[in-house]
Amino acid sequence: MKKLLLTTLTTLFTSLIFACSCEYGGNFLHVAKNSETIVKAKIIEHVYHTKDGKRYTDHNEFVASQIYNNFDPHYGTGESIKIEILELIRGTEKRKVIEIFSTDGADCRASTGGFEKGKIYIMSIYQPKRPEPKLPNETDSDYAIGGCSENWVEYLPETNEIFGLIKGKSYRRKAREYSYDKLIKKIT
């Protein structure tokens, strides 16, 4: 009986600690052709979440709260970005402002930490359909970005171009500028 219990507990805990494992899914043009929701969006703010349900928009305040409350910085916290949808390229989303949650390290999502406030991006996003546990404050109406392929590019408004890993094989990937209008024609 002890052996069975120990085996069950070991299996349960080891399955919870594995990191994401996926193969490269392709460049932005390849991903966008099969994406359900694509948006042109401006980053409004980064939001940091704690397991007790609090939300912080100031990173230093978030870190201070963790230190003060003795939170484990690697458990029970989360990060998201609020975005303003400037153009719905594909999909059915009706809201103008949505939240995209970051990764917990095991769910094959992209991190939201690298998106710069005020910049505009073209993003392939999805609504995760998973049972608990979710990241703190995450709901079923929130979104995520896949982490196993090129799911976003930066929009350059001054030239009406995009910049990122738009096309090319996995071993020949190179960030480049590309016409926004040409992209839209290829993916719609």
Side-chain angles (χ1 to χ4, degrees), residues 39 41-50 53-57 78-85 93 95-102 109 112 123 125-128 135-145:
V39 296
K42 183 177 184 177
I43 308 302
I44 299 172
E45 66 187 354
H46 285 262
V47 183
Y48 306 94
H49 308 270
T50 62
K54 292 186 179 172
R55 301 166 74 91
Y56 297 89
T57 56
E79 182 180 350
S80 65
I81 51 175
K82 272 192 181 175
I83 65 168
E84 175 188 0
I85 298 175
E93 181 58 58
R95 297 172 290 169
K96 286 304 253 181
V97 176
I98 61 172
E99 205 160 353
I100 299 174
F101 274 76
S102 196
R109 296 183 191 186
T112 59
M123 304 172 170
I125 59 177
Y126 68 98
Q127 289 182 305
L135 295 174
N137 298 325
E138 183 180 9
T139 68
D140 289 336
S141 66
D142 292 319
Y143 284 84
I145 301 172

Side-chain angles (χ1 to χ4, degrees), residues 71-129:
F71 290 142
D72 178 350
H74 304 293
Y75 177 76
T77 60
E79 182 180 350
S80 65
I81 51 175
K82 272 192 181 175
I83 65 168
E84 175 188 0
I85 298 175
L86 305 174
E87 179 182 344
L88 182 64
I89 298 168
R90 183 181 302 147
T92 59
E93 181 58 58
K94 302 284 186 232
R95 297 172 290 169
K96 286 304 253 181
V97 176
I98 61 172
E99 205 160 353
I100 299 174
F101 274 76
S102 196
T103 184
D104 66 5
D107 57 12
C108 296
R109 296 183 191 186
S111 170
T112 59
F115 291 98
E116 292 184 43
K117 183 178 176 179
K119 286 198 173 183
I120 299 171
Y121 297 89
I122 312 304
M123 304 172 170
S124 169
I125 59 177
Y126 68 98
Q127 289 182 305
K129 304 291 184 232

